[in-house]
Amino acid sequence: MEQVPEPCGIVIFGASGDLAHRKLLPSLLGLALENVLPKTCYIVGIGRTPMSDSQFQATVKTSLQKESGGNGRVPPGAIDDFVKRCTYLPGDYQDSAFYTQMKQKLAVLDQAHQISDRRIFYLSTPPSLYEIIPHQLAQAQMARPEGTSGWVRLIVEKPFGHDLASAMHLAQSLHQAFNEDQIYRIDHYLGKESVQNILMFRFANAIYEPIWNRKYIDHIQITAAESEGVGHRAGYYEEAGALRDMFQNHLLQLLSLVAMESPCSMDPECLRDEKAKVIKSLQPLTILDVAQQTVRGQYADYRREAGVNPRSTVETFAALRLGIDNWRWQGVPFYLRSGKCLAERITEISVQFKHVPSSVFKPLMADQLNSNVLNFRLQPNDGISLQFEAKHPGPKLCMSTVTMDFNYEEAFGTPPPEAYSRLFLDVMLGDQTLFARKDWLQGSWSFLEPLLDAWAEQKEKGLVTYPMGSWGPAEAEALIARDGREWLTK
Ligand code: BG6
């Protein structure tokens, strides 16, 4: 993190919420500790809960202490210094007078910090406010910079829409207030160091690219398993489910990075062009595919969770097999699965290569030799490993599968930074590379739409229960076993 952005004001809508306290403010503190948060940058929390500046500062301090608990990286006094940058403004998001008041407050802060015309608005509110807030900002003349050298940027948290129509409607509505180049649609997976490393691995090394295709790769698996249940987010989750919560954004983003062509450069548009091409090349799911290539599960106690409808048919687990219709990937299956209350918290991408074409180690046949697996371990213990066959010690010709390992923390002597820190920094620097572009979003929703519709229609039918702490329903094992394969993350 070497580049220090220009001083700016950061305005967080939904500042009394969980995300702000658990992720956003700690990430900004992280940037301050790295000396990349401009010294004069100020933070304004906006929320409905009435609070004074000092009350807000006290809650921020408590959260930062909790989030950085035991973290030796936080020197004494650093939290207090950071908290001094924070102020708070309570009000009603629907009321235009509130925005006039906000504008006045920001003008005073700008002057006090000598910041001219550079501002970030972060929407971390319930999504029902994603239209009204930008609209009100535009009405109050806050959506555009006043001069030619300034900037105003809008960060939009997920979920971006509930389906294709609502996502496109939201995109259109935002465009009435902000230009596309002002909009940063967050997917925090893209801020993870291990996710960006997929690009370095693929495009900064020459040895894998020639074999990164249908000729050498048998199939690819992406697993995002969580051990926790829905916790206190049942209200949101009941409206979302695993497909909207994890697939539409995180899993399809990972898929795009693994499957994309080499971009012309790391220019944001070059990279996002290539990702958009992948998403547009996904083979559309037919009714038959929905029946045969997808699994919808719910963990055993889900309906008993606080805030969950006792007859809920919302999926907490999904698995699907999909294909990419292009020259590189034709015929290579991609298996994706994600769920809550699974055996472990682990996110991995496994690239399984084909078997050797013929065995010279008879009587072992070619398909009895384990094929190579390249594993991107995205979390925890970020790293990359390669499995290959090696000779087992001894006079006989015996084979063992061994692993070559890269572990991020061991290699670099430091844990990876918080994803939101990186993303905040990029917004301050005006770099949209790691944010979802509208056409990608449209592609991801379009791909999932038939599945979302079919599952909504089927309600109870086809929904299978799985034991908590397992790897999901047996049907997900069967989905991949039908192709003579098995899940590698277990
Ligand atoms: C969020 C989802 O986007 O990602 C959550 O809304 C999920 O349901 C979370 O738990 C997982 O993120 P991470 O970084 O812990 O893998």
Side-chain angles (χ1 to χ4, degrees):
M1 293 196 181
E2 58 296 337
Q3 235 181 319
V4 179
E6 299 168 297
C8 63
I10 300 175
V11 182
I12 301 178
F13 289 89
S16 46
D18 192 53
L19 182 73
H21 285 264
R22 272 192 320 106
K23 297 286 182 193
L24 308 185
L25 293 159
S27 302
L28 288 169
L29 171 66
L31 291 178
L33 296 176
E34 299 277 340
N35 291 321
V36 282
L37 191 66
K39 291 260 177 310
T40 51
C41 167
Y42 65 82
I43 297 157
V44 183
I46 309 272
R48 279 184 285 215
T49 316
M51 247 190 295
S52 65
D53 280 349
S54 56
Q55 282 169 325
F56 179 63
Q57 289 173 343
T59 62
V60 173
K61 184 171 174 176
T62 310
S63 305
L64 294 178
Q65 281 167 337
K66 190 167 150 220
E67 292 303 324
S68 57
N71 181 344
R73 282 171 58 234
V74 183
I79 292 185
D80 287 325
D81 287 346
F82 178 83
V83 160
K84 285 187 205 135
R85 298 168 181 254
C86 302
T87 60
Y88 187 73
L89 186 66
D92 173 3
Y93 294 124
Q94 316 272 348
D95 180 7
S96 54
F98 177 47
Y99 293 82
T100 312
Q101 198 190 344
M102 197 184 300
K103 192 173 179 179
Q104 283 160 0
K105 177 162 179 134
L106 295 178
V108 172
L109 285 167
D110 279 352
Q111 208 172 16
H113 291 85
Q114 297 183 338
I115 292 175
S116 65
D117 219 13
R118 282 184 297 267
R119 201 167 286 154
I120 294 171
F121 292 109
Y122 197 124
L123 298 184
S124 169
T125 61
S128 54
L129 294 164
Y130 286 3
E131 285 193 46
I132 185 79
I133 295 172
H135 172 78
Q136 291 279 14
L137 289 172
Q139 291 292 307
Q141 318 266 307
M142 284 193 279
R144 310 260 185 228
E146 280 162 21
T148 46
S149 61
W151 47 257
V152 178
R153 295 173 186 148
L154 179 75
I155 308 182
V156 189
E157 250 308 323
K158 67 178 274 272
F160 197 92
H162 186 73
D163 51 19
L164 178 61
S166 58
M168 291 305 100
H169 174 83
L170 177 58
Q172 214 173 2
S173 161
L174 293 184
H175 280 165
Q176 283 168 13
F178 291 85
N179 296 331
E180 179 68 18
D181 65 3
Q182 294 180 281
I183 301 173
Y184 293 73
R185 300 178 191 91
I186 283 253
D187 183 318
H188 77 280
Y189 266 53
L190 294 178
K192 291 180 193 277
E193 202 84 334
S194 53
V195 173
Q196 291 159 47
N197 209 13
I198 299 171
L199 290 175
M200 308 306 137
F201 185 87
R202 289 196 54 202
F203 303 122
N205 297 295
I207 60 172
Y208 286 102
E209 206 42 33
I211 52 170
W212 209 254
N213 56 50
R214 61 196 298 269
K215 195 164 168 205
Y216 298 98
I217 291 179
D218 177 72
H219 75 278
I220 294 183
Q221 304 184 8
I222 304 179
T223 292
E226 296 187 85
S227 51
E228 300 283 315
V230 282
H232 59 276
R233 295 170 73 228
Y236 151 76
Y237 202 81
E238 276 282 278
E239 294 296 315
L243 275 190
R244 291 185 173 90
D245 189 45
M246 293 295 290
F247 282 71
Q248 182 274 319
N249 33 66
H250 311 324
L251 268 75
L252 289 179
Q253 285 286 1
L254 297 180
L255 173 93
S256 303
L257 293 174
V258 170
M260 66 189 259
E261 298 299 315
S262 152
C264 52
S265 72
M266 280 302 282
D267 171 84
E269 298 322 318
C270 288
L271 190 106
R272 298 193 303 170
D273 285 347
E274 296 306 333
K275 280 169 54 189
K277 279 198 228 159
V278 174
I279 216 82
K280 288 175 197 163
S281 307
L282 292 177
Q283 281 162 9
L285 292 168
T286 62
I287 309 246
L288 198 64
D289 294 334
V290 170
Q292 295 181 348
Q293 317 281 13
T294 71
V295 175
R296 181 168 64 122
Q298 191 181 72
Y299 64 82
D301 274 353
Y302 179 67
R303 292 177 186 183
R304 281 191 284 275
E305 297 272 21
V308 169
N309 177 350
R311 304 176 59 154
S312 173
T313 56
V314 164
E315 79 284 354
T316 61
F317 175 98
L320 49 123
R321 178 194 198 276
L322 55 84
I324 300 178
D325 206 354
N326 64 19
W327 280 42
R328 190 188 280 264
W329 296 117
Q330 185 54 246
V332 178
F334 286 74
Y335 301 92
L336 273 53
R337 76 180 161 159
S338 177
K340 295 212 179 272
C341 267
L342 296 181
E344 243 181 89
R345 175 177 182 258
I346 179 168
T347 305
E348 275 189 340
I349 302 175
S350 304
V351 179
Q352 170 143 9
F353 289 87
K354 293 197 168 168
H355 285 290
V356 290
S358 148
S359 171
V360 295
F361 303 108
K362 303 258 170 15
L364 283 178
M365 303 307 285
D367 61 1
Q368 290 175 304
L369 297 173
N370 286 328
S371 49
N372 301 116
V373 177
L374 182 68
N375 199 53
F376 294 91
R377 172 122 174 175
L378 304 179
Q379 64 188 24
N381 303 326
D382 312 16
I384 301 175
S385 65
L386 177 67
Q387 276 178 25
F388 58 94
E389 296 293 89
K391 188 186 166 306
H392 202 80
K396 282 213 222 132
L397 238 186
C398 278
M399 222 78 67
S400 272
T401 304
V402 295
T403 305
M404 266 194 312
D405 245 332
F406 149 70
N407 175 286
Y408 185 99
E409 202 165 336
E410 270 171 26
F412 299 119
T414 168
E418 168 56 55
Y420 278 98
S421 292
R422 167 63 196 259
L423 296 173
F424 256 124
L425 184 64
D426 282 358
V427 178
M428 288 188 243
L429 294 170
D431 184 344
Q432 288 187 308
T433 311
L434 300 178
F435 296 83
R437 204 170 63 184
K438 189 183 158 211
D439 53 348
W440 186 92
L441 205 76
Q442 183 167 11
S444 68
W445 278 117
S446 304
F447 170 71
L448 288 177
E449 192 94 320
L451 191 52
L452 289 165
D453 289 349
W455 284 1
E457 205 172 298
Q458 288 168 6
K459 298 195 176 79
E460 193 81 37
K461 200 172 138 229
L463 180 69
V464 287
T465 308
Y466 59 94
M468 292 159 74
S470 68
W471 281 105
E475 285 75 358
E477 307 298 327
L479 169 85
I480 192 163
R482 277 199 294 278
D483 294 344
R485 304 184 174 107
E486 58 178 1
W487 293 105
L488 297 168
T489 303
K490 55 188 171 190

